[in-house]
Amino acid sequence: MSSPEASFHTALEMSRCSPTSESSASAQTSTSSPESTSDEDEAEYRAARPLPHELRDHCKIYFEEGLYIQVLTLLFSLLTSGTNSSDSNPAFLPPPQHLALISTLAIHPSWTTRAKEQEKVQAANLALRYLRSVLRIVGPLNADLQNAFVFVGLSTSTRRGKGSRRRTGDSGSPKSEDEENVNSNLANAGGIWARGQDFWQVVGWAFNCSVIYKRRWERWALWLEHMMEALKKDWKMKSKDTPGESLIVRYLHPGDDMVASGERRVLRAIFADGSTLSIAEFGEIWKNETKERRKKEDEEAAAMKKLRTKMNIDEENYGDYLDKSSSSDGDNIPPNPSESSPAPSDAQGQASEGSSPLGGPRAIELRLRLLALLADVSHIFPDSFINLGTLYDMFLTHIRPFPLLTFSLFTSTSALSVFKLGVASSWLEFIVRSLIEAAAPLPVDGSLTQEILEKSFLPWAANTTSVTNNAKISLCTEMLLRLLYEHDEVTWSEELEEAVERGIKAREAKSKLDARKKLKGEDARAVILLRASGERIRGIMELSKP
């Protein structure tokens, strides 16, 4: 057999051949099940077909030899060939085992934040681009992500997805899983699908990084954004007919039965904050994952690169060919991820004094997107998780202790935009109900209307004299009014104007602002937010006037 480098150009030429040259009828069908999605959703994506036998073997060799840039270049060509055609043929895709390895390559520290060579970073970036392109062009079903993105645990040294399909090559003969498995540490015990206990372990660690390991978070954010997009599209295509087969439901039920208090662990992962307890529960995925590269290491890498350019075989100068540190599979990873977690005190010590609440806007947006997806699952398929009311209660338990500024990030216009309108309004109502004074005539149920807002929420203060709680009431009622206004469901009236003014004055009076002197810290910020929210509510009323 020729070397991988020599056969690369041959394989690339094969990828440019017309897909219609394959005679196997079975290979030209989409890998998705027609019963699992609507025709409208299917029409968004190209169909997919397995790689022909020779190309599949070429890709496997490239992966095993660590020639990631070459194999990803080939796979990109195979994926995008014929994309601009008005009558696109099915796109060639590698088996799920290869997609799983590519996902690991996109996030592994030895190829990203701890990479010793620029080529490794380029390979990781190319891997992420390829995954995004697969999702955009063929979609989650045709890409068979339900078998690619499976957490198998360290007890399984070789990837075998649950209920994985036997893929058919160009000859029409089944291709066994063993033949498609890649003999590489990154593809097996060193991969994210083995290193991570489950999806929520990875989510918790990623969000811990958002607070205390900013450099590592930059990479985790990219990976998590891709996963969120995959989960969202997969759920959209399966929620109507086969919600139990969706990736998000499988992540909620990794085994036959959900572990006790599993739903609480899910929420703790989403709200991971870099604290000692959070680090203890959601530790790092790879050994020394957050260890920063030293200046000396960078200088040695630059010197090694310069040495390679001077390699001369005749003079027995082999550059770094015999350098044992250039392993393509990264670090030798220990079998137990908990052994590699940083000591909580050390982790806390690396948090910057000016750390943004819960990792900043990007992290909060991803947390909210996960919560929005869970809310949709709870609404459509509650048996798979928990009912919507219980989810709201857990959500509130986590955000209630937050400082007011952090709380406001979860009730802002941009935050609520990730939720469906009904979920956003019911979530805000849920918060208000937990804080509002007992005299408020709260509705039993039903959708939010101007009449309900006018009588049950706008005119009332909090059930305590806390400036913070009254500011929270004001922020939530403001957003409820804004949601109705943005959907043209607010009609100005004297009664509505009176309810608004009564509420603004009631909340300021309940907070006893006139009797307080020299407010400091949280209370001082709460006063500013309370009064600013009141002015914005008045502004909405002005805009609603005829």
Side-chain angles (χ1 to χ4, degrees):
M1 178 178 293
S2 60
S3 67
E5 294 92 335
S7 59
F8 171 70
H9 294 291
T10 302
L12 193 57
E13 285 302 318
M14 290 182 63
S15 74
R16 298 187 180 118
C17 296
S18 171
T20 58
S21 61
E22 298 292 337
S23 59
S24 172
S26 61
Q28 296 189 33
T29 60
S30 169
T31 59
S32 65
S33 301
E35 299 83 9
S36 63
T37 183
S38 67
D39 292 338
E40 182 179 353
D41 286 333
E42 274 190 310
E44 295 179 8
Y45 304 113
R46 287 179 65 186
R49 62 192 303 186
L51 293 176
H53 177 77
E54 184 176 352
L55 281 175
R56 189 169 52 221
D57 286 348
H58 277 309
C59 289
K60 182 179 177 182
I61 293 171
Y62 296 154
F63 280 125
E64 292 179 344
E65 294 294 329
L67 301 174
Y68 297 122
I69 291 180
Q70 290 91 327
V71 69
L72 288 167
T73 300
L74 170 60
L75 290 174
F76 255 118
S77 179
L78 292 165
L79 175 67
T80 58
S81 177
T83 301
N84 296 326
S85 172
S86 59
D87 184 23
S88 297
N89 290 293
F92 282 114
L93 281 185
Q97 293 91 332
H98 295 189
L99 289 176
L101 170 55
I102 294 170
S103 183
T104 290
L105 182 64
I107 188 60
H108 196 286
S110 294
W111 294 84
T112 53
T113 48
R114 288 188 52 77
K116 297 180 180 179
E117 301 171 353
Q118 186 60 31
E119 289 79 1
K120 288 190 173 184
V121 178
Q122 292 173 355
N125 291 341
L126 195 57
L128 187 61
R129 284 182 53 209
Y130 179 73
L131 291 172
R132 290 172 173 171
S133 297
V134 166
L135 191 60
R136 185 183 70 255
I137 294 172
V138 301
L141 268 66
N142 293 342
D144 199 12
L145 296 189
Q146 66 178 356
N147 288 317
F149 294 171
V150 178
F151 287 88
V152 297
L154 285 168
S155 60
T156 305
S157 59
T158 303
R159 282 192 55 85
R160 295 180 185 276
K162 287 185 179 180
S164 57
R165 305 186 184 106
R166 301 183 74 193
R167 298 174 66 89
T168 303
D170 52 313
S171 63
S173 60
K175 185 77 173 175
S176 71
E177 271 190 14
D178 288 338
E179 291 180 82
E180 293 178 341
N181 288 331
V182 178
N183 184 20
S184 162
N185 182 259
L186 285 184
N188 297 292
I192 190 171
W193 311 104
R195 297 296 301 173
Q197 178 183 338
D198 59 10
F199 179 66
W200 307 107
Q201 175 72 25
V202 174
V203 166
W205 169 244
F207 285 137
N208 276 334
C209 288
S210 75
V211 180
I212 60 177
Y213 297 118
K214 295 295 186 180
R215 184 164 178 263
R216 186 60 183 151
W217 164 244
E218 291 175 3
R219 196 70 197 189
W220 273 116
L222 294 171
W223 187 89
L224 201 55
E225 284 167 350
H226 164 70
M227 284 299 299
M228 275 305 308
E229 194 64 21
L231 290 172
K232 180 180 177 182
K233 289 186 175 182
D234 180 77
W235 172 251
K236 178 184 177 183
M237 299 181 76
K238 296 176 180 175
S239 59
K240 182 178 180 181
D241 299 319
T242 56
E245 294 299 314
S246 64
L247 272 171
I248 184 62
V249 170
R250 291 191 176 194
Y251 288 164
L252 291 169
H253 288 269
D256 294 333
D257 298 302
M258 198 169 186
V259 296
S261 300
E263 65 279 356
R264 297 187 183 278
R265 179 172 173 269
V266 168
L267 268 292
R268 288 198 300 272
I270 294 175
F271 284 98
D273 59 0
S275 65
T276 300
L277 289 176
S278 189
I279 288 289
E281 183 172 15
F282 305 108
E284 65 180 4
I285 306 301
W286 288 280
K287 182 181 180 181
N288 296 327
E289 181 179 337
T290 59
K291 185 178 179 182
E292 295 290 338
R293 284 180 53 80
R294 295 178 304 218
K295 182 179 180 181
K296 182 179 179 181
E297 289 179 313
D298 292 331
E299 291 173 349
E300 289 175 349
M304 190 61 67
K305 183 176 181 180
K306 183 177 180 180
L307 180 62
R308 284 200 302 273
T309 63
K310 297 180 179 180
M311 186 174 70
N312 189 320
I313 296 177
D314 293 334
E315 296 179 5
E316 297 186 355
N317 181 359
Y318 299 102
D320 68 341
Y321 184 76
L322 299 179
D323 182 7
K324 294 181 180 180
S325 66
S326 61
S327 169
S328 62
D329 283 340
D331 299 332
N332 292 323
I333 301 170
N336 187 355
S338 63
E339 294 177 359
S340 62
S341 298
S345 58
D346 294 340
Q348 290 294 87
Q350 293 189 33
S352 64
E353 294 181 1
S355 294
S356 301
L358 292 179
R362 190 179 191 182
I364 288 177
E365 181 190 359
L366 283 168
R367 295 174 197 265
L368 285 165
R369 287 174 64 184
L370 268 172
L371 288 167
L373 182 58
L374 290 180
D376 209 28
V377 172
S378 293
H379 176 66
I380 295 175
F381 195 40
D383 291 343
S384 68
F385 189 42
I386 49 179
N387 63 58
L388 204 51
T390 304
L391 178 63
Y392 287 162
D393 190 47
M394 289 183 176
F395 190 0
L396 184 60
T397 299
H398 280 277
I399 74 166
R400 196 200 307 268
F402 288 165
L404 184 56
L405 286 176
T406 305
F407 176 90
S408 67
L409 295 175
F410 284 88
T411 56
S412 64
T413 304
S414 59
L416 295 174
S417 66
V418 305
F419 293 91
K420 293 180 178 178
L421 176 61
V423 172
S425 62
S426 60
W427 160 236
L428 289 169
E429 285 187 50
F430 192 87
I431 299 175
V432 173
R433 287 171 182 270
S434 71
L435 297 171
I436 205 165
E437 56 189 317
L442 298 177
V444 177
D445 52 28
S447 301
L448 179 68
T449 63
Q450 178 173 320
E451 182 181 5
I452 289 176
L453 190 60
E454 181 180 310
K455 294 180 178 179
S456 302
F457 299 122
L458 281 173
W460 304 97
N463 52 17
T464 70
T465 60
S466 165
V467 186
T468 297
N469 283 348
N470 277 284
K472 288 179 179 179
I473 287 278
S474 185
L475 289 171
C476 290
T477 54
E478 174 196 342
M479 289 309 304
L480 286 171
L481 180 61
R482 188 181 298 276
L483 285 175
L484 287 181
Y485 175 78
E486 289 177 349
H487 289 81
D488 297 323
E489 295 181 17
V490 171
T491 302
W492 184 88
S493 66
E494 291 183 358
E495 293 78 12
L496 181 61
E497 183 93 42
E498 181 184 352
V500 163
E501 290 300 325
R502 278 180 54 201
I504 292 173
K505 293 175 181 178
R507 289 185 285 274
E508 290 188 0
K510 192 68 173 283
S511 301
K512 300 180 179 179
L513 297 186
D514 294 337
R516 297 175 185 262
K517 296 180 180 180
K518 296 183 179 180
L519 294 172
K520 297 180 180 179
E522 179 76 0
D523 283 345
R525 288 188 288 269
V527 170
I528 294 172
L529 285 177
L530 175 61
R531 288 174 170 164
S533 176
E535 290 304 312
R536 289 194 297 269
I537 292 174
R538 289 187 175 113
I540 296 172
M541 292 307 301
E542 285 298 317
L543 291 173
S544 66
K545 287 182 178 180

